Amino acid sequence: MTTVKTTPVHASSLSAVGISKTYGTGAAAREILGNVTFEVQSQETVCIVGPSGAGKTTLLRCLAGLMPPTAGAVYLGKDEVVAPPQRLAVVFQDYSRSLMPWLTVAENVSLPLRGRPGLSKTNRATKVQAALESVGLSNAGTQYPWQLSGGMQQRVAIARALAYEPDVLLMDEPFASVDAQTRSDLEDLTHTIKAKYGMTILLVTHDIEESVYLADRVIVLSGTPTSVTEIVPVNLAYPRDQVSTKSTREFAELRAHILKLIRRPAAGQEAEPGHD
Ligand code: ADP
């Protein structure tokens, strides 16, 4: 379905307009997403949080053009997304399945660049090396993914997305499968690549702290079917730091506020006034 947009939009903004998604049909039909609407502005970092099973991955797959919504539409700039757009890259949680074990790290990173018109082999190699440097793996090009730790493999997956030079980077629980120390390193890497490449980032996570640490705004999903409960602005200063940023009162207040939103019973289940 095409929805007419009347406001001017930047080419690398990403918007969901009235997205609903139902799995199954007839008696087995389950509406997971109900009328989800939001916009990620160009060069903004937005995190989507919600409880497990809320439909975050479902939403991200619709946004990436990997799956059509049942109703509503997704726009990249003013173009409706009906298939994975060229200007958009996705990093998934499961790096072990997204990297090809029989290819070297450099070959994995260069995969999306193969067949790009007008890109010579030398220029491709330069882009691959630059992407590997950006994720701190400049010497790992000749290794195979299985020779690397989980955190390093996820860095390779991020490098592959960066080599592609996307306008929009979607990340689905990208750090959920690594240990806590690696996770915070990868969170900081996200800040670094954002500062360097300046793309629009939309990251799905169930980790409230991570969402506040990374985002300019946090979209909180809840309810059944899931919809946007609130969009929370995060006005924490940059550069952010794992210790000092997370020790601020503002950080603690944002975390508590989002936790309360997620835990709030769905409308109708229990009478409860505002969230604060
Ligand atoms: P989240 O990422 O928030 O954990 P998901 O989007 O993975 O949530 O899943 C939301 C709900 O939709 C879950 O109950 C899940 O079982 C269901 N679901 C996900 N994918 C499918 C599918 N392809 N077919 C049917 N149900 C699905």
Side-chain angles (χ1 to χ4, degrees):
M1 187 181 84
T2 302
T3 309
V4 176
K5 294 208 80 184
T6 50
T7 47
V9 284
H10 191 280
S12 56
S13 63
L14 184 71
S15 33
V17 182
I19 296 285
S20 297
K21 183 69 188 178
T22 300
Y23 287 120
T25 53
R30 272 182 67 212
E31 190 182 12
I32 304 297
L33 300 174
N35 198 16
V36 173
T37 296
F38 61 84
E39 179 169 0
V40 185
Q41 286 156 19
S42 176
Q43 304 196 333
E44 190 181 24
T45 299
V46 166
C47 288
I48 293 182
V49 287
S52 210
K56 300 183 295 298
T57 296
T58 299
L59 177 59
L60 189 126
R61 291 176 69 83
C62 291
L63 293 169
L66 294 165
M67 186 169 67
T70 310
V74 174
Y75 293 89
L76 178 55
K78 59 181 173 38
D79 301 326
E80 185 173 352
V81 172
V82 291
Q86 285 225 332
R87 297 184 287 125
L88 182 148
V90 188
V91 173
F92 295 100
Q93 174 183 341
D94 194 353
Y95 47 80
S96 62
R97 281 201 292 175
S98 62
L99 299 176
M100 311 292 171
W102 60 89
L103 297 179
T104 65
V105 163
E107 287 166 344
N108 266 286
V109 174
S110 77
L111 267 184
L113 299 178
R114 291 192 185 172
R116 181 180 277 190
L119 186 63
S120 70
K121 217 174 159 185
T122 312
N123 285 344
R124 192 168 73 205
T126 306
K127 282 182 190 296
V128 168
Q129 191 53 31
L132 284 172
E133 266 166 36
S134 297
V135 301
L137 288 180
S138 45
N139 295 322
T142 55
Q143 291 185 274
Y144 287 87
W146 44 268
Q147 295 178 299
L148 307 177
S149 68
M152 288 165 86
Q153 289 183 51
Q154 192 58 305
R155 283 173 190 263
V156 176
I158 294 169
R160 186 170 60 189
L162 293 178
Y164 193 59
E165 295 170 343
D167 292 334
V168 180
L169 181 61
L170 301 185
M171 303 173 100
D172 187 7
E173 300 267 9
F175 316 135
S177 301
V178 296
D179 62 84
Q181 176 59 46
T182 305
R183 184 178 192 127
S184 53
D185 290 346
L186 290 171
E187 288 169 0
D188 288 334
L189 175 68
T190 308
H191 280 311
T192 309
I193 60 175
K194 175 62 189 284
K196 182 170 176 185
Y197 290 81
M199 75 281 275
T200 306
I201 297 181
L202 181 71
L203 186 146
V204 163
T205 178
H206 64 266
D207 186 319
I208 295 171
E209 233 178 67
E210 180 168 281
S211 74
V212 174
Y213 185 62
L214 291 177
D216 298 313
R217 288 187 300 153
V218 175
I219 297 175
V220 182
L221 298 180
S222 63
T224 310
T226 296
S227 61
V228 175
T229 301
E230 191 172 310
I231 300 180
V232 181
V234 179
N235 295 315
L236 298 168
Y238 287 100
R240 295 182 188 171
D241 174 87
Q242 291 284 353
V243 177
S244 57
T245 301
K246 289 184 176 177
S247 312
T248 61
R249 205 186 68 189
E250 292 89 338
F251 187 92
E253 285 173 356
L254 285 162
R255 185 180 52 195
H257 177 62
I258 293 169
L259 182 62
K260 234 190 269 183
L261 289 173
I262 288 176
R263 287 192 166 176
R264 190 169 55 169
Q269 286 182 0
E270 186 182 309
E272 188 185 58
H275 46 75
D276 268 326

